[in-house]
Amino acid sequence: MKRTLRRITALLLSALTLWIVIATIESPDLPAAWNAIRQDQLSRHILQWEIGDFFTASPLSVATSLALQQSPFLLAAQSSLSASNTPSEDTVPNDTPDDPSKIDDKTSLLPYTGSKLTFTDNGVPSQTTIPSKTTGYTIINGVYIKNTTDRVIDTKLVGGGHFSATYQPDASPQVLILHSHATEAYTMPANQSYKASGTCRTKNTEYNVVRVGDEIAAVLSSYGISVLHDRTLHDDPDYNDAYSNSYDAIESYLDKYPSLVYVLDIHRDAVEDASGQQYKLVSEEDSHAAQCSIVLGNSFDHWQDNLTLAVAVQQTLNAQHPTLMRPITMRSYRYNQQLTNGSLLVEIGAAGNSLDEALYSARLFAQGFAETILK
């Protein structure tokens, strides 16, 4: 009996020695070797076996843990129960990245809201809007501005990069997101549909621009920016009352939350030909990214404050995604932008884009906006 125990002990010691050699073979020194041993999965299982499940971070037995290691799907589920487990490749710790601007993989951006973008083709033809000439545009720091009004843009003021809507890190909330035309929606792929309330419109907030606003709010929050998201359908039931309804809402929020600096009115555009054929707008460098645009009014005194912010945001985005943004459009309206000096009307994609394309671009825009105001 003693001889058998000695043989088993010798075998275990030999196996342990072999494992240590394998785990540390590429380690240049003792600290590196110890780190390699600590990171090796077998050491965690041996330790769990030795001291018992009660003292480990996971309540699972060794046999169960080993089985989970063979199934990424089960391991991902188990990681939600135990913070000590390494997340699977499709998850991001704490649901947000340390630096969202450095995430390149489209699907890895998804944990902000837990959805998954598939970019399924919706059958709509695409086009990319890129200015082919400088005539008719005011160009500031590489940003094209289509000024359809008789107001003269002070290029030195607007191009200085010092917008008056200043982010206050200790104040909360800072950003209000809302939707004057909340029922605006997109073109879904086959077998994916919503109950329509008009052409490319729906009251279902899982499919209209309110869903896009959710995405922007989540990304801004990941940067530590405090956000309010008004998910009210301001264009329902009467589309003509949309801006007066959203005006009242903005005023109410500003009265209640004096810390608000930025107001983002999120829409989508619509591009079609004479026959009514819808087109999706996509960036040249990434066909999955719906093109976006900023629309500004200037029928009030401090309109250049909003324009200065818009140029700064677009300059940031142009450096990261050269054709994501279409030219800024200036019009002789207000769009409720007279209420703050940090107001932007942002169109994320067009009616012909899919929802996934819009959600993807919403993340990209939000990243650029966050990085601009946090500079």
Side-chain angles (χ1 to χ4, degrees):
M1 182 65 178
K2 291 182 179 181
R3 181 181 298 177
T4 302
L5 288 175
R6 285 197 297 269
R7 289 179 177 177
I8 293 175
T9 301
L11 287 173
L12 289 174
L13 290 173
S14 298
L16 181 60
T17 301
L18 179 61
W19 164 69
I20 292 174
V21 170
I22 294 173
T24 62
I25 192 169
E26 295 182 357
S27 303
D29 50 35
L30 186 59
W34 172 243
N35 188 55
I37 292 172
R38 288 195 307 113
Q39 293 181 357
D40 192 88
Q41 290 296 311
L42 181 58
S43 63
R44 181 168 64 86
H45 296 314
I46 292 175
L47 180 62
Q48 186 175 355
W49 193 306
E50 288 293 329
I51 65 178
D53 292 344
F54 181 78
F55 296 100
T56 63
S58 171
L60 302 177
S61 67
V62 172
T64 303
S65 294
L66 289 171
L68 284 173
Q69 295 295 324
Q70 306 306 312
S71 172
F73 179 77
L74 292 176
L75 183 59
Q78 191 256 354
S79 67
S80 66
L81 301 176
S82 173
S84 66
N85 286 340
T86 302
S88 67
E89 293 180 357
D90 292 333
T91 66
V92 176
N94 301 321
D95 288 333
T96 56
D98 290 335
D99 186 351
S101 66
K102 295 182 179 180
I103 295 182
D104 295 320
D105 179 66
K106 301 176 186 63
T107 57
S108 65
L109 289 168
L110 306 181
Y112 290 130
T113 56
S115 61
K116 183 175 183 179
L117 306 184
T118 60
F119 302 108
T120 303
D121 184 18
N122 64 359
V124 178
S126 64
Q127 65 180 40
T128 302
T129 299
I130 304 176
S132 58
K133 56 183 180 180
T134 59
T135 305
Y137 293 98
T138 300
I139 304 174
I140 302 176
N141 299 334
V143 175
Y144 282 68
I145 304 169
K146 184 70 173 179
N147 185 4
T148 65
T149 76
D150 59 1
R151 295 290 187 105
V152 178
I153 298 173
D154 184 340
T155 56
K156 291 183 178 179
L157 172 66
V158 172
H162 303 293
F163 42 87
S164 57
T166 306
Y167 177 76
Q168 303 293 334
D170 297 327
S172 178
Q174 292 274 291
V175 179
L176 170 64
I177 299 173
L178 81 163
H179 312 273
S180 293
H181 296 157
T183 63
E184 289 178 334
Y186 300 89
T187 301
M188 302 301 295
N191 301 321
Q192 299 182 36
S193 62
Y194 50 75
K195 183 179 179 180
S197 59
T199 303
C200 290
R201 293 183 181 276
T202 181
K203 298 178 184 180
N204 188 333
T205 55
E206 289 299 310
Y207 293 95
N208 59 30
V209 292
V210 175
R211 175 68 180 83
V212 176
D214 289 339
E215 215 65 27
I216 294 173
V219 174
L220 296 183
S221 296
S222 76
Y223 279 87
I225 299 170
S226 180
V227 182
L228 290 177
H229 185 197
D230 178 6
R231 307 177 83 252
T232 306
L233 305 182
H234 291 293
D235 57 344
D236 180 59
D238 192 340
Y239 184 83
N240 294 323
D241 291 337
Y243 280 104
S244 61
N245 292 338
S246 59
Y247 178 94
D248 292 341
I250 296 170
E251 264 203 328
S252 177
Y253 281 112
L254 291 174
D255 287 342
K256 187 174 181 179
Y257 303 101
S259 61
L260 284 171
V261 177
Y262 308 97
V263 177
L264 303 180
D265 192 354
I266 306 301
H267 296 242
R268 61 107 176 104
D269 201 357
V271 179
E272 61 182 40
D273 59 22
S275 66
Q277 169 66 60
Q278 294 283 350
Y279 287 87
K280 66 171 63 178
L281 301 175
V282 298
S283 73
E284 187 175 52
E285 63 273 8
D286 190 341
S287 61
H288 291 312
Q291 280 192 299
C292 307
S293 62
I294 297 174
V295 180
L296 297 175
N298 62 9
S299 295
F300 50 94
D301 291 338
H302 63 87
W303 60 274
Q304 290 194 111
D305 289 332
N306 293 326
L307 179 57
T308 303
L309 173 63
V311 168
V313 171
Q314 188 137 332
Q315 191 176 356
T316 299
L317 287 163
N318 286 350
Q320 300 170 350
H321 316 282
T323 65
L324 176 69
M325 303 300 295
R326 298 156 62 198
I328 294 172
T329 300
M330 293 288 306
R331 292 176 180 158
S332 296
Y333 296 99
R334 291 190 173 191
Y335 302 115
N336 299 331
Q337 294 168 358
Q338 73 274 22
L339 294 174
T340 74
N341 57 6
S343 293
L344 303 178
L345 189 160
V346 186
E347 295 179 328
I348 306 293
N353 284 101
S354 69
L355 177 62
D356 282 0
E357 291 163 350
L359 294 177
Y360 177 37
S361 291
R363 293 176 172 87
L364 301 181
F365 173 82
Q367 290 169 10
F369 179 83
E371 290 167 13
T372 301
I373 68 173
L374 293 176
K375 285 181 180 178

